[in-house]
Amino acid sequence: MSEASSGTRVPPAVRLCGISKRFGAVQANRSVDLSVAPATVHGLVGENGAGKSTLMAILYGYYQADAGHIEVAGRSVAIANSHQAIALGIGMVHQHFMLVETLSCLDNVMLGAEPAFFLGRAKREVRAKLEALMRDTGLHVRLDELVGDLPVGELQRLEILKALYRGAKILILDEPTAVLTPQETLQLFETLRRLKAMGTTIILITHKLKEVMALCDEVTVMRAGQVIKTSAIADTSPEDLAEAMVGRKVNLGRSGGAKRGDSLRLQAQDLALRDAQGVAVLSGITLRLQAGEIVGVAGVSGNGQSELLEVLSGMRAPDAGRLSVGAASFDAATAWLEPGQARLLKLAHVPEDRQVCGMVMSFPAWETAALGYHEQAQYRAGPAGWAMNQGHMRAQTAEMMERFDVRPRDAQLGSSKFSGGNQQKLILAREIGQAPSVLLVGQPTRGVDIGAIEFIHQQLRALRDAGCAVLLVSSELDEILALADRVLVMNGGRITGELAIDQCDEKSLGLLMAAQAAEPVES
């Protein structure tokens, strides 16, 4: 019997009423109202710092609201901690997974929720319940494998299984596709649609508006701690959502083309690399970068793009091949480029993993802003430059923060305290600020909000227009199509094709990514 014919009204699965939360001088949430219908997917979007994560942390019991109240299934509830949230059927999957790498998948699910005193009996009970959940939901994981040995897509499934095992009927997902391949993203979407059909309510925090349009039933936009709009998906568009998020029109499409010069900035020939198990991860890689162009590298993650950046930046020596950067040449058989040499040759590198390879999280921002360049004369002081000129480093960092709109503008603040988007802008400011001849950049907008994406794209185009050669690795085809002047496609550690940008569309690139083109297509 339908809701209308039965004469009853089903209450929202979740209703947040007048939620406010302040952290010192920062008002994170301002009288936020949010209503999520049962068995739907509700998108929650906004720029970094808009208050989305704080709001969901209040719902999950991490924070307590200063004002307002929460209703679950029509009943007013108090949620003092995550244990109470879980007891109410609320589960949360965080962007950075909460898993113990040295334990198996089964043990991770059991941890803190053992159903029996005796371990053997508890494991049998948990295994049986998980196997039933996997059959029902399609969320298959290898229960006896160590978490540290699993790919990221399987870890994502494990986190969702862990929440469902604990009885979640309301599932909060924070940037769930930030580190997934396109194929893993499609699999996740199928799983979420299946969970919705089974009655699960899903709240999706994301920056990716195409995903919101493809998956959600409704969407709420937040800006500066307030709700700007809530709309059915059928009544909005990515352009409308972007404008609501940022407060102005946003352009993420193509903007002008390259004025490629004759100067050859970087050339690699026949690069080959094997991993620790002897498996070839790069084979016969040959490429050229000219002044004044952005060359995009497309491909499903794990097909050699990461290793290519590591080899070209000097982080890793290949087993074979040659490299020239400007007038300098290197050969794997003798001596390979090192990161310090790369900087002297005006080759800058924005790594794929900003937190692991781009910064020291415990450093203040002014140290991160000079990291790798701290031996330069401008940063040295004292006789023979024996000390760091910290005053100059702080002043330079303040200028970088102003130019690249890094928020907050506090050079003393720890690097770990900045949002992902502002960490990325700080690293880009450091590398671009050196006026490089070659820039290698990996996943420049991963986990970054739409306003920061537009800004980063503008900076990369400006660098190209100033004569820099840019090699861009991105798992986002939209980003490749918006920025690149020509595109290389990688599959299985090889370049499977090359296309001029006017020959590119998602279909042609997708075929090359799947290595379905008979021969590489030359630009």
Side-chain angles (χ1 to χ4, degrees):
M1 183 180 293
S2 70
E3 180 180 316
S5 61
S6 66
T8 61
R9 183 176 181 274
V10 178
V14 172
R15 186 165 174 253
L16 304 176
C17 307
I19 298 294
S20 293
K21 180 65 179 178
R22 176 183 289 275
F23 297 98
V26 178
Q27 186 75 50
N29 291 146
R30 300 171 183 268
S31 300
V32 174
D33 294 329
L34 176 69
S35 181
V36 181
T40 62
V41 181
H42 194 109
L44 187 59
V45 301
E47 291 191 279
N48 291 327
K52 312 179 301 295
S53 295
T54 298
L55 188 67
M56 290 300 100
I58 290 170
L59 177 57
Y60 195 57
Y62 279 149
Y63 300 139
Q64 305 303 303
D66 300 330
H69 71 277
I70 301 172
E71 296 176 7
V72 175
R75 181 167 61 93
S76 184
V77 297
I79 305 176
N81 52 55
S82 59
H83 295 291
Q84 292 182 359
I86 292 168
L88 289 166
I90 301 169
M92 188 167 183
V93 176
H94 302 268
Q95 182 177 353
H96 301 288
F97 302 142
M98 303 293 187
L99 298 168
V100 181
E101 291 190 355
T102 54
L103 295 181
S104 70
C105 293
L106 181 66
D107 290 339
N108 266 276
V109 173
M110 286 180 55
L111 195 61
E114 296 83 354
F117 179 79
F118 295 104
L119 189 59
R121 177 181 172 187
K123 283 194 171 187
R124 288 192 295 272
E125 289 184 19
V126 175
R127 185 183 297 273
K129 186 172 181 179
L130 285 174
E131 288 174 347
L133 273 173
M134 287 192 289
R135 286 194 299 270
D136 292 342
T137 64
L139 286 164
H140 295 287
V141 300
R142 292 167 285 178
L143 295 177
D144 296 313
E145 291 289 324
L146 293 181
V147 161
D149 295 334
L150 296 180
V152 67
E154 196 162 351
L155 299 181
Q156 178 83 261
R157 296 195 293 273
L158 176 61
E159 282 280 31
I160 297 173
L161 271 177
K162 188 172 72 171
L164 296 176
Y165 170 80
R166 286 163 167 74
K169 297 297 182 184
I170 299 163
L171 193 60
I172 306 165
L173 301 176
D174 189 1
E175 297 289 349
T177 65
V179 294
L180 298 186
T181 67
Q183 287 79 359
E184 288 169 335
T185 296
L186 291 175
Q187 292 171 2
L188 174 64
F189 282 10
E190 288 303 313
T191 295
L192 296 181
R193 291 186 182 103
R194 186 179 300 189
L195 289 175
K196 182 180 84 167
M198 295 168 62
T200 303
T201 302
I202 299 162
I203 302 174
L204 179 70
I205 306 173
T206 183
H207 292 123
K208 300 182 180 181
L209 298 184
K210 286 180 67 175
E211 295 181 359
V212 170
M213 300 302 295
L215 186 64
C216 295
D217 301 293
E218 281 192 306
V219 59
T220 293
V221 180
M222 293 186 67
R223 188 170 76 236
Q226 297 177 294
V227 170
I228 300 301
K229 67 178 288 186
T230 295
S231 173
I233 288 298
D235 298 331
T236 190
S237 68
E239 294 75 18
D240 290 342
L241 294 176
E243 186 171 353
M245 288 166 62
V246 180
R248 56 177 173 78
K249 290 190 179 297
V250 177
N251 177 25
L252 295 180
R254 288 195 64 77
S255 178
K259 297 177 181 177
R260 188 165 66 177
D262 296 328
S263 175
L264 179 64
R265 293 293 174 82
L266 180 146
Q267 182 172 13
Q269 294 176 290
D270 299 321
L271 297 180
L273 178 69
R274 293 184 178 273
D275 64 15
Q277 287 73 44
V279 177
V281 291
L282 293 177
S283 300
I285 298 291
T286 295
L287 60 87
R288 296 163 57 93
L289 299 181
Q290 300 284 138
E293 68 170 347
I294 298 176
V295 177
V297 180
V300 177
S301 296
N303 279 275
Q305 305 96 308
S306 299
E307 290 81 4
L308 177 62
L309 286 179
E310 290 172 358
V311 166
L312 295 179
S313 65
M315 291 175 62
R316 192 168 178 178
D319 299 314
R322 296 178 300 281
L323 174 68
S324 63
V325 182
S329 298
F330 304 89
D331 195 308
T334 53
W336 196 252
L337 173 73
E338 294 183 353
Q341 291 174 297
R343 296 186 188 99
L344 292 174
L345 293 169
K346 307 294 283 184
L347 187 155
H349 177 212
V350 177
E352 290 183 299
D353 192 327
R354 53 182 170 256
Q355 295 187 352
V356 173
C357 300
M359 57 175 55
V360 178
M361 299 297 283
S362 60
F363 278 8
W366 66 266
E367 287 191 87
T368 287
L371 190 63
Y373 298 95
H374 53 280
E375 296 292 343
Q376 291 185 354
Q378 62 170 323
Y379 292 140
R380 309 308 296 177
W386 59 269
M388 288 194 302
N389 188 339
Q390 295 187 14
H392 181 67
M393 286 179 171
R394 291 188 179 95
Q396 286 283 87
T397 302
E399 291 180 13
M400 290 181 189
M401 288 179 149
E402 186 66 32
R403 178 185 168 196
F404 280 76
D405 192 28
V406 178
R407 306 177 194 177
R409 284 171 173 67
D410 183 355
Q412 291 292 132
L413 189 65
S415 298
S416 64
K417 303 298 184 183
F418 291 88
S419 69
N422 284 296
Q423 289 174 352
Q424 187 77 344
K425 285 194 282 187
L426 188 60
I427 293 172
L428 279 161
R430 179 184 72 205
E431 301 300 327
I432 291 176
Q434 303 302 319
S437 296
V438 178
L439 176 68
L440 310 176
V441 56
Q443 312 298 344
T445 58
R446 176 175 281 168
V448 171
D449 67 52
I450 196 162
I453 290 172
E454 182 188 41
F455 178 83
I456 289 169
H457 285 189
Q458 289 171 348
Q459 297 304 310
L460 293 177
R461 290 189 186 103
L463 194 65
R464 173 201 65 190
D465 294 344
C468 183
V470 180
L471 185 70
L472 166 72
V473 171
S474 178
S475 58
E476 301 290 339
L477 285 185
D478 285 347
E479 185 160 70
I480 294 283
L481 293 171
L483 288 174
D485 302 302
R486 58 188 173 95
V487 182
L488 308 176
V489 182
M490 291 190 69
N491 180 283
R494 297 178 179 274
I495 293 176
T496 56
E498 178 180 342
L499 294 172
I501 194 61
D502 57 7
Q503 296 176 299
C504 287
D505 55 36
E506 289 196 12
K507 181 178 179 181
S508 59
L509 290 177
L511 289 173
L512 287 170
M513 287 167 66
Q516 293 181 21
E519 296 291 340
V521 182
E522 297 297 334
S523 61

